[in-house]
Structure formats: C-alpha cells, structure tokens
Amino acid sequence: MIQLLKVTKTYGQRQAVAGLSLDIGPGEFVVLIGPSGSGKSTTLRLINRLVEFDTGSLRFAGQDIRSFAPEALRRRMGYAIQSVGLFPHWTVEKNIATVPRLLGWPAARTAARVHELLELLQLDPAQFARRYPHELSGGQQQRVGVARALAADPEVLLMDEPFGALDPVTRLALQQELKRIHTLSGKTIVLVTHDIDEALYLGGRIVLFREGRVVQDGSPLALLTRPADGFVSDFLGRSELGLKRLGLGTVADRLRPGEPAGGDPVRSDANLREALSAFFVQGRESLPVVDAQGRPAGALHLVDLLAAHPASPPAAAAGEGA
C-alpha cells in the first residue's frame, strides 16, 4: 500500500527524516510515535505530499508517489489533524461534504454519505447536520473532522495528533470510535501521537522514531516485552511496562466461566489494567464478570490476573521493517 525506501528530508542543517524505509500494508493500523522532532509528523506529511522528500523512493498503491497530482493523491488519503480546521461559516454537513463536492458527486450521493458518516461517528444527523462549528464541543468538532477525512471513502486515513487537545474522557471515547471504524472499514490508518498509552491502545503496529530514524518497529506486545534498547524502555515507561502490558489483554482472556463472585461487575471486554484498578477500588480477590449485554459471564480472580503473562514474542529488531 505505502512503501518508503531510504527516504530523507532535510531542513537546513537538520535531517528530519534520515534514510527511512517503511512498508505499510493494506488494512494495517500503524502508529508512529517518538519524541518531539523525531520525524514522525514529517513522515506523515511526506506520504500525502504536503512535504516533498529529498532523496529515496516513496510509492503508493504500487506507483511512484510523484506520478500523482498532489490534489488527486490527497483525495485518496483522508487527513485529520489536531486543530480540525473546520470552515466556521459552513454547517456540519457542508464541512463533511467538502471533498465529495470537489469530486463532483451527485447531491443525493453526497447527502447519503454525510448522513452515513454522522451516524458512524454517533452524531445524530437530525440534531447536528445543520449546526455550525462554534455550536459544537471540542469532541464533536473532532468527530466532524474525522468524518470529513472519511467522506470520499479514501483508501488511507492519515491522522496527526488528532485527539491531543481533548480532555481524557472525550479522548478515550474517540479512540474507541476510531478502533470501531477501523474494524468496520478495514482501512489503512497511519496515526501520529506522542502518547504511548494511545499508541498501545490503538496500534496493531507501533513504529518508534528517534532523530529521523526508526528505533523499533513491531506489535505493542513486542515493544513492551522485548524493547530494543534503553531508549525504547525509557520512552515506554520503564517502571510501568508490566501495567502497560496488562492493558493489552482483556478480562475475557482470564475469565473463569460460570463462576459466581461478589462485588460490582467488570465487563468481559475491559482490559486487564482496568480490571486491576477495580480490584483495588473494591478490595476484593475476585469480581463478577458480565458480557457486553450485561449478562453474567463468570468471575475474574486477582491471582489469575497477576499471573497473566503470555509468552513473549521474539524481539522486533531495531529498525525492523524500516
């Protein structure tokens, strides 16, 4: 889908991207993460030609990216950023319809797509379609920004710190929405963030940058269990690696089906880190578990949670896939 081979980008004396090689396949959810100035956002902008690379090769859908007109390329790649950038004097429906209208879609098709996306992002069309951006909360504006990026059904969704300015509750809700959209659509998503917890929650694959280069490329579990070096351990939060690893498993993985237990229930799709918090809050050694519909599913025991250490995968080599 997207291939970068020995790509470089230099600003003055500073090399923002240094000989980067990266292959992103169809349907992947790849998170680019690293310190400020590490090259992750520059890489994202190289992909949709908001920035032109200096040397190397960059291909999209099997073709040299420079063979595409920039406008045509960007219509195949949705782009969502932290500042949203909605047009203030346009309604929500008109903002979402920006690219379909540029592409000359019939009015009926455009209206149907706007309605579909508002429902997908859990914004009631009857309530929100004719509102203006200033009438929306920050989280609602960000949902509209994501809907606009998806409006023309792009093959790739690029996202640069899309939830960085939101409060933690709204941020989590939108992260959950994005995971659901990825599951439903199967689109290729490339997201930049500085938040390691967001990366671990969203990414099927994490690419960690440092000084324009890839330090480690692999699954969340691979990075947590076999960090390539001390920098990776420190960036992930060396003292919290165990807790972060718990966040990758779900209650359903450690459930004892059919067992009764006292206390307030936890959901089977909650992660084990959330379950650990529930154990401490309630001061119990076992908790009842319910499924997504609230039906009893069994019990979770603290001893099972603390013993939940799946076999470690082989280390992802520093720069693997890069």
Side-chain angles (χ1 to χ4, degrees):
M1 174 64 74
I2 301 168
Q3 296 93 28
L4 295 87
L5 180 62
K6 298 181 179 178
V7 170
T8 64
K9 177 62 184 177
T10 302
Y11 295 102
Q13 300 300 311
R14 184 178 71 86
Q15 200 166 44
V17 176
L20 174 65
S21 294
L22 190 64
D23 196 334
I24 298 171
E28 281 198 279
F29 197 138
V30 178
V31 178
L32 311 183
I33 193 165
S36 297
S38 60
K40 56 190 187 296
S41 290
T42 300
T43 299
L44 201 72
R45 296 182 186 119
L46 291 172
I47 291 172
N48 69 355
R49 294 192 65 188
L50 285 175
V51 171
E52 299 287 357
F53 60 93
D54 298 326
T55 62
S57 170
L58 207 167
R59 301 178 70 82
F60 170 61
Q63 294 181 244
D64 187 322
I65 205 162
R66 287 176 171 167
S67 69
F68 297 93
E71 297 77 13
L73 179 71
R74 290 168 200 153
R75 288 167 187 164
R76 297 177 66 178
M77 296 183 177
Y79 188 53
I81 58 177
Q82 178 176 321
S83 59
V84 185
L86 300 179
F87 298 109
H89 302 302
W90 286 7
T91 62
V92 164
E93 61 184 349
K94 192 172 180 180
N95 266 284
I96 295 173
T98 301
V99 176
R101 290 174 61 169
L102 289 172
L103 294 174
W105 285 20
R109 181 186 176 192
T110 299
R113 181 63 173 162
V114 170
H115 189 279
E116 175 189 7
L117 287 168
L118 285 171
E119 289 191 330
L120 181 67
L121 272 300
Q122 299 190 359
L123 294 170
D124 180 7
Q127 184 179 356
F128 289 97
R130 291 177 173 79
R131 288 190 184 182
Y132 289 87
H134 72 272
E135 298 175 305
L136 306 176
S137 69
Q140 290 165 348
Q141 289 184 28
Q142 199 67 58
R143 287 172 191 262
V144 174
V146 173
R148 185 175 63 182
L150 290 168
D153 198 20
E155 297 154 66
V156 175
L157 180 59
L158 306 176
M159 311 186 80
D160 194 354
E161 300 276 7
F163 312 133
L166 301 176
D167 65 86
V169 173
T170 304
R171 184 171 185 153
L172 177 59
L174 285 176
Q175 289 169 354
Q176 292 169 339
E177 286 301 307
L178 186 59
K179 285 191 76 166
R180 185 173 66 88
I181 289 169
H182 181 249
T183 299
L184 290 172
S185 69
K187 288 190 182 299
T188 303
I189 299 178
V190 186
L191 180 142
V192 166
T193 183
H194 67 277
D195 185 330
I196 185 58
D197 288 323
E198 182 167 82
L200 293 170
Y201 179 70
L202 290 174
R205 176 179 163 201
I206 296 174
V207 182
L208 177 56
F209 283 72
R210 185 185 189 188
E211 297 178 350
R213 293 179 169 83
V214 173
V215 180
Q216 191 164 357
D217 176 352
S219 69
L221 185 59
L223 267 68
L224 288 175
T225 55
R226 296 291 180 84
D229 57 23
F231 168 78
V232 177
S233 294
D234 290 340
F235 190 85
L236 295 175
R238 187 188 296 268
S239 64
E240 297 182 353
L241 292 182
L243 283 175
K244 292 181 187 296
R245 186 171 169 182
L246 282 177
L248 302 180
T250 66
V251 170
D253 299 332
R254 304 296 159 183
L255 173 67
R256 296 189 189 183
E259 274 199 21
D264 297 328
V266 293
R267 281 177 47 137
S268 59
D269 57 357
N271 68 54
L272 295 176
R273 188 172 178 175
E274 293 167 334
L276 182 62
S277 177
F279 276 115
F280 283 116
V281 168
Q282 297 189 45
R284 294 178 176 272
E285 295 187 1
S286 65
L287 292 173
V289 178
V290 296
D291 64 18
Q293 288 72 44
R295 299 173 300 206
L300 177 68
H301 289 252
L302 180 60
V303 64
D304 294 340
L305 185 153
L306 296 178
H309 295 304
S312 299
E320 178 186 335

